[in-house]
Amino acid sequence: MSLPPLSGVAAVVESTADVVPLLDAAAARAGDQAAVAAGDTWSGLMERAGGHLARGVTRLAGRGYGLRVVILVGKGDNGGDGWVAARRLAERGAQARVVSTHPADEPLSDASASARDRWLAAGGRVSWELADLAPALARADVAVDALLGTGASGAPRGAVGDATAALRRARDAGVPVVACDVPSGVGADDGAAPDGAVVADLTVTFGGLKRGLLLHPGAAHAGRVVIGDLGPGYVPPTGTWTALSARGAAPPRLGAAADKRERGVVLVVAGALGTAGAAALSSAGALAAGAGLVTVAVPAPVRTEVAVHHPSAMVHGLPVDADGRLAPEAVEALPDLGGFDAVVAGPGLGHGPGAAAVVAHLRRGARRLVLDADGLNVHRDDPAALAEHAGALVLTPHERELARIGGGADGGDAWAHRVERVPDLARRYDATLVAKGPGTIVAAPDGAVWVTPNGGPALGSGGTGDVLAGMIGAAIAAAAPDAVPEAVARAVWWHAAAGVRAGEGRAARATAVDLLDAVPGVLGELA
Ligand SMILES: NC(=O)C1=CN([C@@H]2O[C@H](COP(=O)(O)OP(=O)(O)OC[C@H]3O[C@@H](n4cnc5c(N)ncnc54)[C@H](O)[C@@H]3O)[C@@H](O)[C@H]2O)[C@@H](O)CC1
Ligand SMILES: [K+]
């Protein structure tokens, strides 16, 4: 499969598994400990990690012999990997030089001390003075960041902070940076990137993908990511956080005799005076993602406006009040919900009493329901009502909407705390939550979480969210009963990939219509 153009994180997209586990620091440690308990050694694990790191450097540079590499090491086991990599690089003919942030007599773990001692015993070059760092970096072809790994907390401090600052300056001056496990300072659990966090061109991570390498802003610091395996005795711990690979994101195959009903019947309730385009984009999104039949219910005055956009969708007019807003009687005018596998409500709908009544009716009656935009906003004064729903519910908030439905006085912080908050809300509302933004998170009510490994600025234009809501509607309409959250994660993946594809050749300045046009090609490539 030729997927690099779709890739955000190569390590995910290129995986031969459907699902790539995402480890937090505790899980990574548990995996190491389990391997050691099963007969491996700390030094053996470190030897393999350092070997992968050295290979990452030579692969990035395209050579090993004569390569001038400066390896910055900290006092933890991330630094231990760095000492190993120095030796491995020297064995390939590189001119490796270690610069340490700690004094020569700093106590290290046994594995790190032995990696350091082997380097020193082999006559390897090392500087114990940070004053040597800038001149060394000025002559380097590649720099390796082995300062902090999964044991980091907060912004790089003290000598490590000085070292990351020097690394940042060197990279700005054109020296590529390879990070060991995670770029130093980036939170392995939450992708936080405090001031001073390293920006890398390549991150070589071990055993499994660290969560913070996919979550933003950490993902933007990691560059390309590759996973080095830690040996046959190392089993990556399974957890609730994963990412779908391109294989896992493949659209389900259609049976040879699949008719339009099997492909899923979707109702879109959207649009208002001035926002008819949102209804058109949502219904087009549902069709592009493969829905067999799409009906779009809109305020009657915009019926024709929506109908001209997509001849394949059926358009249903709903009554409006004197101001042209959806009237409460629209509830009775909706088509019978029993005829739809999934309903998508909210894009451009407005948030007057009529819209609120319609959305409440859908919550009580739809078999599967996606609430987007105003479908969420009508709950701003009573988000707890979102927990009251008859069928499977999907909520698709962006940052501000997440704050509104996130509840509590700290609603505004919901995005910053999304790693805990989004799975929490999914449980609280018994809904699949799609927290839209860079590295969109999809959380299921049972605790499963997917991080979207691709995407980019091309998704940041008006109407792309409307398209996504429709695509999710199509994906869940055709999903098996226990596979609704995963279908949501897949639709988010398609949408992100289509955004990337649509942005190509346009400096990422794609429109929602460009994105829609890219969806079938993405599905075709994944299938
Ligand atoms: N445990 C193992 O066997 C393996 C670990 N590996 C490596 O070990 C790393 C984890 O090692 P550690 O747990 O020792 O942790 P780190 O190497 O991340 O370092 C933690 C050290 O840095 C200090 N520190 C933490 N935050 C800091 C900050 N913001 N500024 C300055 N100093 C800070 C801490 O006081 C501690 O001494 C992994 O990322 C990976 O690179 C690999 O060798 C594979 C096997
Ligand atoms: K690092």
Side-chain angles (χ1 to χ4, degrees):
M1 213 180 291
S2 62
L3 277 165
L6 294 185
S7 76
V9 175
V12 174
V13 177
E14 288 163 6
S15 172
T16 53
D18 287 358
V19 167
V20 178
L22 300 182
L23 311 182
D24 58 13
R29 262 190 301 276
D32 296 339
Q33 276 156 3
V36 171
D40 212 330
T41 61
W42 294 110
S43 280
L45 291 168
M46 190 169 278
E47 199 60 34
R48 272 160 251 145
H52 289 300
L53 183 58
R55 271 189 295 282
V57 170
T58 53
R59 207 170 300 155
L60 182 83
R63 66 193 169 106
Y65 192 81
L67 192 70
R68 292 167 302 181
V69 190
V70 172
I71 300 129
L72 285 76
V73 296
K75 63 183 175 179
D77 283 345
N78 197 255
D81 297 345
W83 291 104
V84 172
R87 174 163 42 81
R88 295 297 195 86
L89 283 161
E91 284 164 7
R92 289 162 181 236
Q95 297 173 31
R97 172 174 183 168
V98 174
V99 180
S100 170
T101 53
H102 52 269
D105 57 359
E106 178 85 27
L108 305 183
S109 74
D110 290 349
S112 290
S114 119
R116 174 197 59 195
D117 295 346
R118 282 185 75 179
W119 175 245
L120 296 177
R125 295 217 300 162
V126 54
S127 301
W128 304 101
E129 297 296 332
L130 270 189
D132 297 338
L133 180 56
L137 286 171
R139 289 189 301 275
D141 298 313
V142 183
V144 175
D145 155 34
L147 292 163
L148 299 172
T150 50
S153 63
R157 294 180 297 275
V160 174
D162 295 340
T164 62
L167 202 51
R168 180 76 77 108
R169 283 191 294 272
R171 186 169 182 275
D172 289 345
V175 180
V177 173
V178 178
C180 173
D181 208 14
V182 290
S184 294
V186 166
D189 295 358
D190 61 3
D195 280 351
V198 165
V199 178
D201 298 279
L202 171 72
T203 297
V204 181
T205 193
F206 315 114
L209 205 54
K210 308 298 171 320
R211 220 153 78 175
L213 299 174
L214 285 198
L215 291 166
H216 283 259
H221 282 243
R224 188 180 168 92
V225 179
V226 296
I227 306 176
D229 79 86
L230 286 175
Y234 183 90
V235 183
T238 49
T240 51
W241 285 67
T242 61
L244 292 176
S245 68
R247 260 181 63 137
R253 276 189 188 288
L254 295 175
D259 67 2
K260 57 191 176 192
R261 301 218 155 262
E262 267 178 72
R263 276 177 50 179
V265 183
V266 176
L267 171 66
V268 175
V269 184
L273 287 173
T275 54
L281 287 169
S282 264
S283 49
L287 286 160
L293 270 178
V294 175
T295 300
V296 50
V298 296
V302 299
R303 198 173 173 282
T304 319
E305 218 178 306
V306 174
V308 294
H309 280 293
H310 228 299
S312 351
M314 284 166 287
V315 186
H316 191 96
L318 299 173
V320 293
D321 63 19
D323 300 327
R325 301 190 307 173
L326 218 50
E329 305 81 66
V331 169
E332 288 90 62
L334 282 169
D336 175 14
L337 298 182
F340 298 94
D341 299 311
V343 181
V344 177
L349 194 62
H351 38 80
V358 164
V359 172
H361 170 79
L362 296 174
R363 268 199 284 111
R364 289 189 285 266
R367 203 175 301 149
R368 291 171 181 177
L369 175 64
V370 182
L371 291 182
D372 179 58
D374 289 332
L376 294 166
N377 292 334
V378 297
H379 298 94
R380 64 199 312 164
D381 297 327
D382 181 20
L386 285 167
E388 295 155 26
H389 52 92
L393 181 64
V394 182
L395 309 174
T396 58
H398 56 47
E399 183 176 345
R400 288 186 308 284
E401 290 158 352
L402 184 68
R404 281 176 210 137
I405 66 163
D410 64 343
D413 286 345
W415 179 260
H417 299 293
R418 66 198 184 287
V419 165
E420 303 88 37
R421 192 67 60 86
V422 170
D424 241 32
L425 288 172
R427 256 186 295 268
R428 192 192 309 170
Y429 296 139
D430 189 23
T432 300
L433 222 88
V434 180
K436 297 185 293 192
T440 294
I441 299 176
V442 177
D446 70 357
V449 182
W450 293 264
V451 181
T452 312
N454 42 21
L459 293 165
S461 96
T464 56
D466 306 331
V467 173
L468 176 63
M471 291 177 70
I472 293 173
I476 66 170
D482 57 351
V484 168
E486 190 180 334
V488 174
R490 224 182 274 124
V492 172
W493 206 110
W494 301 340
H495 178 262
V500 172
R501 190 46 66 78
E504 282 167 13
R506 294 188 176 93
R509 276 129 176 112
T511 66
V513 172
D514 301 327
L515 183 152
L516 258 178
D517 290 344
V519 171
V522 165
L523 295 186
E525 198 164 329
L526 292 171

